[in-house]
Amino acid sequence: MSSVLSLARPDILQLQPYQHATWDPSLERMHANEMPWRASGDNSAAGLNRYPEPQPKALVERMAQLYGVPASRVLVGRGSDEAIDLLVRAFCRAGEDSVVICPPTFGFYKVAAKIQGAQVVEVPLLRDPFALDVPAVLAAGHRAKIVFLCSPNNPTGNLLDEATMLGICRELSGSSLVCVDEAYIEFAGRPSLAGRLGEFPNLVLLRTLSKAYALAGARLGTLLAGEEIVDLLKRIIPPYAIPASTVEEVLQLTQAPQRASSAARIGTLLEERARMQGRLARMPAVARVFPSDANFLLVEFRDARRALGAGKVVGLLVRDFSAAPGLANCLRISVGTPEQNERLLAALEHL
Ligand code: PMP
């Protein structure tokens, strides 16, 4: 067994996976206890009376093409949230194993670990700029199963240093997976680490269609990793995980013309991000605007509650992070349309 698989839960390695109804579109289906007719009004291509293909081949190939990796390195799931959950389930024994997170960061790593009964070791980001505390991450990582890094990080907005992340990955090979969540990478003007997967068997990447591709409602996330990790996770992903409607919509909405329009939208969003950064930084109500490589801005206000209230008065909701450790008076503002941004800026300028 390779060293990376030896990190997985032994009972999961032994598990006899659920046997799906065989997928063979050349034969008519009388083997899956489905209704033979469509529901009335069902105009879907595949027919919603039928279970979808597990890990649909066309979808996996589309994501492989989108992210520039071979299809064997791709696992698709219901959002990257599902990929996080699967990783923790496959690698962490309840009550025994741990994951490392670097707060302030995306909240679901911790929740997924706790649901699984894994311990969560927190190694806070260093400040000014937000950056990894490498010796502390390594010390905790040597005793953990998964180190979650988020780049660009939510909610701070900044990229983590690529050489540092890969250095951590190298140091921890044989002792821990390093999962780099690239949910916001398309806004960063930097390439993904996908091209480096071949060099690091313990590197796992998370990508999503929820942000740059404007498909959060479709719920499609992709995990990119070595084949062995992908094959292991395929054994535990719930049967028929991706709804047929999602498969059809995603195949339709990630073709070349849609990809071009999404690239153009990202361009507009980045212009708006810069405009908001400039305006916010000059406001008396604002103590600090943190640099952002993502589609949101972390902003420290003099009085976050007043700023939150001013947004609500003009019908806009931003996210309050002021209770998070180290983020007193901070709000996270997702960049909106130019009209929404203008409405928010005008409201905050009057504070
Ligand atoms: N990772 C990060 C860093 C996120 O911010 C989010 C969603 N806010 C996710 C993952 C989950 O994304 P998905 O919609 O793909 O489940």
Side-chain angles (χ1 to χ4, degrees), residues 148-161:
F148 284 104
L149 306 178
C150 187
S151 178
N153 185 43
N154 177 10
T156 61
N158 60 298
L159 279 164
L160 299 176
D161 181 67

Side-chain angles (χ1 to χ4, degrees), residues 1-247:
M1 195 196 313
S2 79
S3 63
V4 74
L5 274 193
S6 68
L7 300 175
R9 282 170 49 193
D11 48 338
I12 295 293
L13 292 170
Q14 301 291 320
L15 180 78
Q16 176 65 46
Y18 174 72
Q19 300 295 317
H20 294 98
T22 309
W23 181 261
D24 185 346
S26 70
L27 298 174
E28 292 177 35
R29 296 169 68 90
M30 293 180 76
H31 71 324
N33 297 351
E34 301 154 339
M35 277 301 258
W37 310 280
R38 289 172 177 243
S40 81
D42 173 359
N43 296 319
S44 62
L48 294 178
N49 53 323
R50 302 300 182 191
Y51 282 100
E53 183 182 3
Q55 292 297 299
K57 193 163 180 284
L59 185 65
V60 167
E61 281 169 1
R62 178 67 58 81
M63 293 305 112
Q65 182 199 34
L66 194 62
Y67 299 134
V69 300
S72 58
R73 291 189 182 280
V74 169
L75 180 93
V76 288
R78 285 162 295 186
S80 27
D81 288 335
E82 180 161 59
I84 294 164
D85 183 56
L86 292 174
L87 269 179
V88 173
R89 283 182 196 278
F91 285 87
C92 296
R93 291 165 299 177
E96 292 188 51
D97 293 323
S98 62
V99 307
V100 178
I101 62 169
C102 301
T105 194
F106 181 49
F108 192 60
Y109 313 132
K110 185 178 191 168
V111 175
K114 291 205 161 182
I115 292 170
Q116 173 60 17
Q119 287 166 38
V120 178
V121 179
E122 302 197 2
V123 179
L125 292 173
L126 304 171
R127 303 292 298 244
D128 296 318
F130 289 109
L132 294 167
D133 180 346
V134 178
V137 170
L138 290 178
H142 278 300
R143 292 189 296 272
K145 283 295 175 69
I146 310 170
V147 175
F148 284 104
L149 306 178
C150 187
S151 178
N153 185 43
N154 177 10
T156 61
N158 60 298
L159 279 164
L160 299 176
D161 181 67
E162 182 177 310
T164 305
M165 290 190 286
L166 292 176
I168 289 173
C169 206
R170 189 175 293 111
E171 287 284 327
L172 294 180
S173 76
S175 52
S176 176
L177 299 183
V178 175
C179 176
V180 181
D181 184 343
E182 297 186 323
Y184 300 96
I185 193 73
E186 291 90 347
F187 302 103
R190 292 278 309 159
S192 151
L193 292 179
R196 311 298 301 272
L197 278 171
E199 298 164 57
F200 300 92
N202 60 332
L203 177 62
V204 177
L205 300 177
L206 301 179
R207 305 291 300 265
T208 181
L209 297 183
S210 298
K211 313 295 175 184
Y213 290 95
L215 292 173
R219 307 302 301 128
L220 197 89
T222 301
L223 177 143
L224 308 176
E227 232 172 281
E228 289 169 310
I229 297 176
V230 168
D231 288 345
L232 180 72
L233 299 179
K234 279 183 192 163
R235 297 159 62 89
I236 64 164
I237 192 167
Y240 315 107
I242 317 280
S245 46
T246 294
V247 179

Side-chain angles (χ1 to χ4, degrees), residues 255-303:
Q255 298 180 79
Q258 284 84 3
R259 280 149 74 163
S261 87
S262 126
R265 286 259 165 87
I266 292 173
T268 306
L269 191 130
L270 296 184
E271 284 167 22
E272 283 296 295
R273 183 178 79 190
R275 186 171 81 83
M276 291 181 84
Q277 259 163 335
R279 284 271 288 282
L280 284 160
R282 290 194 293 276
M283 290 182 194
V286 170
R288 180 168 184 184
V289 186
F290 291 89
S292 173
D293 301 299
N295 66 340
F296 55 83
L297 291 168
L298 184 69
V299 184
E300 184 186 338
F301 286 87
R302 309 238 176 253
D303 182 340

